[in-house]
Amino acid sequence: MKALGNRGGVDAVSQQMASHPQYLESFLRTQHYILHMDGPLPLQYRHYIAIMAAAQHHCGYLVSLHSAQFLRVGGDPLWLQGLEAVPPRLQHLDQLNKVLAHQPWLTARSHIQALLKTGEQCWSLAELVQAVVLLAHCHSLSSFVFGSGTDTVPLHIAPNGTPPGYCLCDAANGNVSAPPPLTTPSEHTTRRWSLDSSCEMVCLKERIQKSQEEKERKGECVLHTQTLQHTDVEDEEEMIYSADPSRFITDPEFGYQEFARREEDHFQVFRVQDYSWEDHGFSLVNRLYSDIGHLLDDRFRSVTALPSSHGPDLKRAIWNYIHCMLGIRYDDYDYGDVNQLLEREMKLYIKSVACYPDATKTPLCPLPWAPLKPSERIHVNLLIMEARLQAELLYALRAITQYMIA
């Protein structure tokens, strides 16, 4: 409430997460840091990498959102025609992007070496670490968007070029501006609310609407519009917002495969006892990308600390089941607990959201636990997102470590 109450509106993702305000605060802080604060990558690169990552799962919501932000920070509209229009160094990132998105266990030292090799289009190690964090963040956020049904909420296009929606992390920076209303109430498109929607979200919107009306009565300026100097740029933006994310995908056939059923025997199980977030990943990422380790660690701790009527055993079962599907194992965990605590329908839901978060290919089965409160359903989606985020980071950071010590 404190973070979003003065904005006059909230984005769909934040509406879903708002039932867990402590986690939402941690999420917004981290996202704002990687997208807007000091870092080696230019702002245009950050949003374009986010587009590339979200496109791997055909997440139109995030692709449209970051396309708008990309233009806001001065990005070249031609880049949004597809990967063939971007500098070679961004094109080179595509291989790592698709591997992390669908089969992260394939991430190898060779991927890192190819990007860091000497040459005009090479990446620095610091740039690559920030890019990896962005990729993993947006891949996992695509899972949350898919699981919560956010991607079914249509994005409107402003005739004056104002991007649809606004940055998910402006609230963390105290930005109280909001986009102008795009339609009259009678013109609004009917929205498909997800299974996670609840009266809590409705109450939040009502309180924010009252706050906005009060500000308007006082004559405060709460609306901020972005004007464009050229009509052709405006037309380009309109085309982009309705664009198919597939224009940013070079290998549409590449997707998730069962780790446990692969015939190849040269990919070993990732054992957390050999390389863990706490003992290895945290220190490496924090050294190469200042403070991000603390922010990510706070996210992991926040989501596991959220209260649940089902107890910590269930949360750990969900977390470890996701890691198991991605080839990560814990020697000190009895995986028989997964079958005892997670019924078959629940495992199908988790697998769908974590491994196939693509609404164009995968119909989302509903959560099987009817008695769950809306906030607990959101909690499940948050656990899936954070477990997947940590899994991708572990694979990428291990590959970077192998490169550095080779």
Side-chain angles (χ1 to χ4, degrees):
M1 280 297 184
K2 289 174 60 179
L4 304 175
N6 292 326
R7 289 181 51 77
V10 291
D11 61 84
V13 169
S14 294
Q15 284 185 42
Q16 297 290 338
M17 296 183 183
S19 57
H20 299 289
Q22 290 182 333
Y23 172 82
L24 176 59
E25 182 180 1
S26 178
F27 173 85
L28 291 175
R29 188 186 305 115
T30 304
Q31 185 169 246
H32 178 74
Y33 186 83
I34 60 179
L35 287 173
H36 299 287
M37 299 297 288
D38 291 341
L41 289 176
L43 296 182
Q44 298 96 321
Y45 269 55
R46 302 183 196 188
H47 289 291
Y48 199 86
I49 291 170
I51 294 169
M52 291 173 60
Q56 284 295 321
H57 297 304
H58 290 87
C59 184
Y61 176 86
L62 292 179
V63 169
S64 296
L65 186 68
H66 286 286
S67 294
Q69 293 299 314
F70 172 79
L71 295 173
R72 266 188 182 172
V73 298
D76 186 347
L78 294 178
W79 288 18
L80 297 178
Q81 294 180 358
L83 290 182
E84 67 279 356
V86 304
R89 65 199 307 250
L90 280 172
Q91 295 177 11
H92 296 161
L93 190 65
D94 180 60
Q95 179 67 21
L96 181 61
N97 178 28
K98 74 175 186 179
V99 166
L100 281 175
H102 303 291
Q103 300 178 40
W105 55 84
L106 297 179
T107 308
R109 179 170 63 90
S110 58
H111 292 113
I112 307 303
Q113 188 173 10
L115 291 167
L116 296 178
K117 64 183 180 181
T118 57
E120 184 178 348
Q121 297 297 330
C122 70
W123 292 71
S124 71
L125 190 56
E127 288 174 332
L128 182 57
V129 169
Q130 186 177 15
V132 162
V133 173
L134 275 165
L135 291 174
H137 169 79
C138 291
H139 292 157
S140 59
L141 185 56
S142 296
S143 284
F144 180 85
V145 168
F146 176 67
S148 63
T150 306
D151 214 18
T152 64
V153 179
L155 287 171
H156 299 282
I157 303 168
N160 66 351
T162 302
Y166 29 87
C167 180
L168 300 176
C169 40
D170 282 346
N173 195 33
N175 184 355
V176 297
S177 64
L182 304 180
T183 58
T184 63
S186 61
E187 295 171 335
H188 279 309
T189 304
T190 301
R191 296 191 173 191
R192 287 177 51 197
W193 291 102
S194 74
L195 56 87
D196 290 331
S197 298
S198 69
C199 62
E200 296 170 342
M201 305 301 108
V202 175
C203 293
L204 174 63
K205 294 177 68 177
E206 290 176 351
R207 292 184 63 176
I208 291 174
Q209 179 65 29
K210 291 179 180 179
S211 174
Q212 181 180 2
E213 292 173 354
E214 183 176 351
K215 289 180 180 180
E216 290 174 348
R217 287 196 300 269
K218 293 179 179 179
E220 294 179 14
C221 180
V222 296
L223 300 181
H224 174 73
T225 59
Q226 178 186 22
T227 57
L228 298 175
Q229 296 179 352
H230 303 288
T231 306
D232 56 344
V233 176
E234 180 178 323
D235 294 339
E236 178 71 16
E237 281 198 326
E238 182 133 348
M239 178 189 70
I240 290 162
Y241 296 153
S242 60
D244 185 350
S246 62
R247 68 174 57 184
F248 305 102
I249 301 175
T250 59
D251 188 359
E253 299 303 318
F254 189 85
Y256 175 79
Q257 294 182 2
E258 297 280 354
F259 179 85
R261 297 181 182 177
R262 291 175 300 102
E263 297 179 357
E264 302 90 343
D265 59 2
H266 56 283
F267 291 112
Q268 297 181 350
V269 170
F270 187 117
R271 299 199 175 277
V272 174
Q273 281 66 24
D274 298 330
Y275 196 97
S276 68
W277 167 256
E278 293 82 4
D279 297 332
H280 305 90
F282 171 83
S283 59
L284 177 64
V285 74
N286 219 42
R287 176 158 56 94
L288 297 175
Y289 185 12
S290 180
D291 293 330
I292 192 62
H294 294 289
L295 293 170
L296 291 169
D297 195 61
D298 185 61
R299 276 179 63 173
F300 299 146
R301 294 177 184 274
S302 294
V303 76
T304 55
L306 291 177
S308 172
S309 60
H310 295 271
D313 290 344
L314 178 67
K315 290 189 286 186
R316 189 177 183 192
I318 293 174
W319 189 280
N320 289 0
Y321 177 59
I322 295 166
H323 279 194
C324 181
M325 289 188 294
L326 299 176
I328 299 175
R329 302 277 290 190
Y330 295 80
D331 289 345
D332 60 350
Y333 183 72
D334 181 1
Y335 284 87
D337 291 348
V338 171
N339 292 328
Q340 292 181 3
L341 294 169
L342 302 179
E343 53 192 71
R344 182 177 181 274
E345 291 77 10
M346 184 62 173
K347 289 195 288 186
L348 287 174
Y349 176 87
I350 293 172
K351 186 173 185 178
S352 174
V353 174
C355 304
Y356 308 99
D358 186 343
T360 67
K361 300 177 182 178
T362 309
L364 179 62
C365 57
L367 266 170
W369 294 341
L372 278 182
K373 296 179 180 179
S375 61
E376 291 180 321
R377 297 176 182 179
I378 296 169
H379 188 189
V380 171
N381 287 325
L382 293 177
L383 281 168
I384 296 172
M385 176 175 68
E386 293 299 331
R388 182 182 175 186
L389 171 63
Q390 188 179 97
E392 288 193 29
L393 289 174
L394 284 174
Y395 277 112
L397 294 173
R398 184 182 67 168
I400 292 173
T401 299
Q402 293 170 342
Y403 169 82
M404 293 174 66
I405 64 178

